């Protein structure tokens, strides 16, 4: 009996030891994995690179020394002034994209009272950079003023048409008067996009058609339909190479439009971009660089070329280029010519 008891106790001891080993394995704490962290110098470099994409004057970006425990190990904070046409939200979006592949957190706080946005950038829960961003409406970046009139809109595929409806670059679609154009205008209005009217020899719709052998009564009626049905057009543009423009009756047509307070512009009053993409980019870049501080330019371009230039135009907009509707550019240019 005594031996049996000893045997049982030994077995129980072994079982307890085994159970203890199993519990130790199961409850063994997982090894701490160090959180990824981006150092302050790299964050600073990425921050500055993103900010300078907006073509800000260097005097608008300053570093202010600090000495306070609440800033962790920071020794400086950024003070950034933005011009009136640039919002802090645009800057924050650019920074978010710049840091999207880095283990950082961007925390912003907008104060309504003094219209200042404070941005904290943290990595591994440590404050690495702080900046305050304010808008000063009197500040202005040197910029070029451009407007686009796009031709051959009907040649775009449906995907590109839809994409243009959501474009952040203003433009005016050049339409030839027709029943189809009447329908297109309805959709353009839905998307708050503008159009201009193109007058040449290829107008097929009878009520809009203009021809040198028409009677003055019929021409007058056509002008009435055009000026009434397309009253919201940015501009009325006539093809100066057309037969109607170069006919003896054109002065009568022009006067009829004038009597209805419609001014006719010639197609060659405006700049045209080539249909070749590389050539179009080269010429566009020339106008972007040479137009700083000058009067605005109205550029006519094929719809497919305009679509393909969209990313370049967005980058130009980021750097301060201002885009307008054609009639707005004309008003701005007139005000520059007659400042009083």
């Amino acid at each position: 009996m005594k031996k049996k008891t000893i045997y049982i106790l030994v077995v129980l001891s072994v079982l307890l030891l085994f159970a203890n080993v199993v519990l130790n394995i199961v409850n063994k704490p997982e090894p701490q994995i160090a959180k990824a962290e981006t150092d302050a110098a790299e964050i600073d470099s990425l921050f500055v690179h993103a900010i300078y994409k907006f073509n800000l004057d260097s005097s608008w970006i300053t570093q202010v020394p600090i000495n306070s425990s609440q800033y962790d190990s920071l020794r400086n904070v950024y003070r950034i002034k933005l011009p009136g046409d640039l919002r802090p939200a645009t800057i924050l979006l650019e920074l978010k994209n710049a840091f999207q592949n880095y283990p950082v957190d961007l925390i912003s706080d907008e104060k309504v009272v003094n219209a200042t946005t404070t941005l904290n950038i943290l990595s591994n829960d440590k404050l690495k950079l702080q900046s305050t961003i304010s808008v000063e409406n009197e500040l202005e970046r040197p910029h070029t003023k451009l407007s686009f009139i796009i031709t051959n809109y009907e040649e775009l595929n449906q995907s590109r048409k839809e994409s243009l409806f959501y474009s952040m670059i203003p433009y005016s679609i050049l339409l030839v008067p027709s029943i189809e154009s009447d329908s297109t205008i309805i959709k353009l209005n839905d998307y708050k996009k503008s159009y201009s009217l193109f007058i040449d020899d290829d107008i097929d719709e009878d009520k809009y058609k203009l021809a040198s052998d028409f009677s003055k009564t019929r021409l007058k009626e056509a002008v009435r339909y055009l000026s009434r049905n397309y009253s919201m057009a940015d501009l009325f543009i006539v093809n100066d190479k057309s037969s109607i423009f170069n006919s003896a009756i054109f002065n009568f047509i022009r006067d009829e439009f004038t009597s209805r307070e419609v001014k006719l512009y010639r197609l060659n009053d405006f700049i045209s971009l080539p249909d070749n993409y590389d050539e179009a980019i080269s010429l566009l870049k020339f106008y972007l660089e040479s137009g700083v501080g000058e009067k605005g330019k109205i550029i006519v371009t094929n719809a497919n070329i305009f679509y393909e230039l969209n990313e370049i135009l967005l980058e130009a907009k980021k750097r301060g280029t201002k885009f307008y509707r054609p009639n707005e550019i004309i008003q701005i240019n007139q005000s520059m010519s007659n400042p009083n």
Side-chain angles (χ1 to χ4, degrees):
M1 184 66 182
K2 191 174 181 180
K3 284 184 178 181
K4 186 176 182 181
T5 301
I6 292 171
Y7 176 75
I8 292 171
L9 290 173
V10 170
V11 171
L12 286 172
S13 297
V14 171
L15 290 173
L16 287 172
L17 286 170
F18 179 74
N20 188 52
V21 170
V22 171
L23 286 173
N24 285 336
I25 293 172
V26 171
N27 295 325
K28 184 178 181 180
E30 294 184 3
Q32 291 291 323
I33 300 175
K35 291 180 68 174
E37 184 174 337
T38 304
D39 65 58
E42 186 170 11
I43 288 175
D44 187 273
S45 176
L46 290 166
F47 175 84
V48 171
H49 180 72
I51 294 297
Y52 274 104
K53 283 185 177 181
F54 293 90
N55 195 28
L56 301 182
D57 190 283
S58 59
S59 65
W60 303 347
I61 304 170
T62 58
Q63 283 185 291
V64 180
I66 57 170
N67 185 15
S68 173
S69 58
Q70 66 174 322
Y71 289 94
D72 289 351
S73 59
L74 294 188
R75 294 291 175 265
N76 301 280
V77 296
Y78 281 95
R79 300 282 187 263
I80 297 176
K81 299 175 185 178
L82 301 182
D85 66 329
L86 190 56
R87 299 292 98 183
T90 305
I91 299 290
L92 295 175
L93 179 60
E94 182 68 27
L95 289 169
K96 181 180 178 181
N97 292 333
F99 285 102
Q100 63 180 341
N101 296 321
Y102 292 83
V104 301
D105 295 309
L106 278 68
I107 302 173
S108 61
D109 177 31
E110 185 174 0
K111 294 180 173 60
V112 179
V113 177
N114 57 7
T116 298
T117 299
T118 300
L119 170 67
N120 291 319
I121 301 181
L122 300 89
S123 185
N124 194 14
D125 300 323
K126 299 173 186 175
L127 183 61
K128 301 287 186 176
L129 184 146
Q130 185 181 89
S131 175
T132 59
I133 305 171
S134 60
V135 177
E136 298 192 8
N137 291 321
E138 68 276 11
L139 299 180
E140 186 176 57
R141 291 175 288 180
H143 62 276
T144 297
K145 297 177 284 291
L146 294 180
S147 178
F148 282 90
I149 296 173
I150 62 176
T151 64
N152 304 102
Y153 167 79
E154 67 283 352
E155 294 179 3
L156 289 175
N157 62 39
Q158 193 57 36
S159 173
R160 290 193 169 191
K161 284 181 180 178
E162 292 294 328
S163 179
L164 283 189
F165 286 143
Y166 294 100
S167 173
M168 295 176 64
I169 305 298
Y171 59 82
S172 185
I173 291 177
L174 190 60
L175 297 176
V176 175
S178 67
I179 299 301
E180 291 76 15
S181 293
D182 294 347
S183 300
T184 300
I185 289 171
I186 295 173
K187 189 158 189 179
L188 291 174
N189 288 336
D190 289 341
Y191 286 91
K192 296 181 172 54
K193 299 301 181 183
S194 69
Y195 69 94
S196 292
L197 199 68
F198 190 49
I199 298 171
D200 72 350
D201 301 325
D202 296 328
I203 300 174
D204 295 325
E205 184 63 31
D206 282 344
K207 65 181 178 181
Y208 297 139
K209 191 172 183 63
L210 299 168
S212 58
D213 57 349
F214 286 179
S215 68
K216 288 186 177 181
T217 300
R218 183 173 178 182
L219 290 171
K220 188 172 185 175
E221 190 69 2
V223 170
R224 184 176 71 85
Y225 274 118
L226 289 166
S227 57
R228 184 190 68 183
N229 292 1
Y230 296 97
S231 61
M232 300 305 293
D234 282 339
L235 302 178
F236 280 65
I237 301 172
V238 61
N239 183 356
D240 42 316
K241 294 181 180 178
S242 64
S243 296
I244 189 65
F245 178 82
N246 292 287
S247 68
I249 200 67
F250 181 73
N251 286 343
F252 172 79
I253 294 171
R254 182 195 59 208
D255 292 342
E256 283 299 310
F257 275 109
T258 301
S259 70
R260 290 170 172 78
E261 298 183 348
V262 175
K263 180 175 180 179
L264 295 181
Y265 293 88
R266 297 178 303 168
L267 186 60
N268 72 357
D269 286 338
F270 313 119
I271 296 164
S272 292
L273 289 186
D275 288 341
N276 177 278
Y277 176 71
D278 292 332
E279 292 176 5
I281 286 179
S282 178
L283 194 56
L284 174 62
K285 288 182 176 179
F286 168 77
Y287 289 124
L288 285 170
E289 294 170 5
S290 65
V292 175
E294 302 295 326
K295 288 185 176 181
K297 293 178 174 59
I298 297 175
I299 297 176
V300 180
T301 185
N302 178 283
N304 275 301
I305 292 293
F306 180 80
Y307 173 85
E308 291 165 1
L309 291 173
N310 190 63
E311 289 303 317
I312 293 174
L313 297 177
L314 289 174
E315 282 299 314
K317 180 179 175 69
K318 186 185 296 183
R319 293 184 58 79
T321 298
K322 294 185 179 181
F323 296 92
Y324 301 90
R325 287 168 55 166
N327 53 350
E328 292 173 331
I329 280 281
I330 289 172
Q331 292 171 7
I332 291 170
N333 288 347
Q334 289 173 346
S335 66
M336 290 177 70
S337 298
N338 305 294
N340 297 324

